[in-house]
Amino acid sequence: MGKSKDPSPVHFQSSRASCETMMAAVTERCEAFLKEKNVVTDFLAKLEERTGVQRQYIAAGAVSIVALYLLFGYGASLLCNLIGFAYPAYASIKAIESRNKEDDTQWLTYWVVYGLFSVAEFFSDIFLFWFPFYYAGKCLFLIWCMAPVSWNGSQIIYTRVVLPFFRKHEAAFDSVVKDLGGKAKSAAQTAVTEGFTMLGDDKNK
């Protein structure tokens, strides 16, 4: 039997460079967020003024506490869902109000992946939540999906999984949506007609 080849140094260097790039992008985005004017930074500014501790260290301490709570705390599911919803919702509102449409696409992609993940989790959560540190792993996945880099999780999953599947079955999806839309419109018209009929009958009594 031949000996297996060791991974090349180039592969390790490429992986290391990718991780360093992602960490630099995340750090830059976090620093930019801490400099913005919003409720969170106002609160951090007050803490910084009272304690004399820089807001970066306060934020890092808060993130560490959240991470420990996700690992060992009660109600980690709620906290994890808040992390996956709160900041993306805030960023989506900012994106809607901005003139730049690239961030609109970024967050629309995130919500598509988040919605599909939530549906899949609904059926698998009863089994998965027994795994150790499941919610910590879920939180890391959601953070990866919203990471401020072009190759974040939502972009990769959308382009490699969601979009090819949608294009393959687009005609079937369009037919189902059209059929459901027609049935909903017919049901609404029937309900309105019956409502007016009942009102007319009451007046004639």
Side-chain angles (χ1 to χ4, degrees), residues 82-95:
L82 284 174
I83 292 172
F85 174 81
Y87 176 74
Y90 164 80
S92 297
I93 295 173
K94 298 278 286 186

Side-chain angles (χ1 to χ4, degrees), residues 11-110:
H11 175 75
F12 286 116
Q13 291 176 0
S14 177
S15 300
R16 181 179 178 182
S18 299
C19 291
E20 290 177 351
T21 302
M22 182 177 180
M23 289 301 298
V26 171
T27 302
E28 182 181 353
R29 185 65 190 91
C30 290
E31 290 178 353
F33 175 77
L34 291 174
K35 293 177 181 178
E36 292 177 1
K37 185 71 174 177
N38 53 56
V39 176
V40 176
T41 54
D42 288 345
F43 179 71
L44 290 174
K46 291 180 180 178
L47 287 178
E48 183 178 17
E49 183 180 352
R50 292 185 179 182
T51 61
V53 180
Q54 295 183 10
R55 65 182 67 184
Q56 290 88 341
Y57 298 120
I58 297 174
V63 170
S64 300
I65 292 173
V66 169
L68 290 172
Y69 191 86
L70 285 170
L71 291 173
F72 307 108
Y74 178 78
S77 175
L78 176 61
L79 180 59
C80 184
N81 289 329
L82 284 174
I83 292 172
F85 174 81
Y87 176 74
Y90 164 80
S92 297
I93 295 173
K94 298 278 286 186
I96 292 170
E97 296 302 320
S98 70
R99 295 182 179 180
N100 183 12
K101 296 304 177 185
E102 292 183 2
D103 49 5
D104 295 10
T105 303
Q106 174 190 347
W107 291 110
L108 281 171
T109 303
Y110 172 83

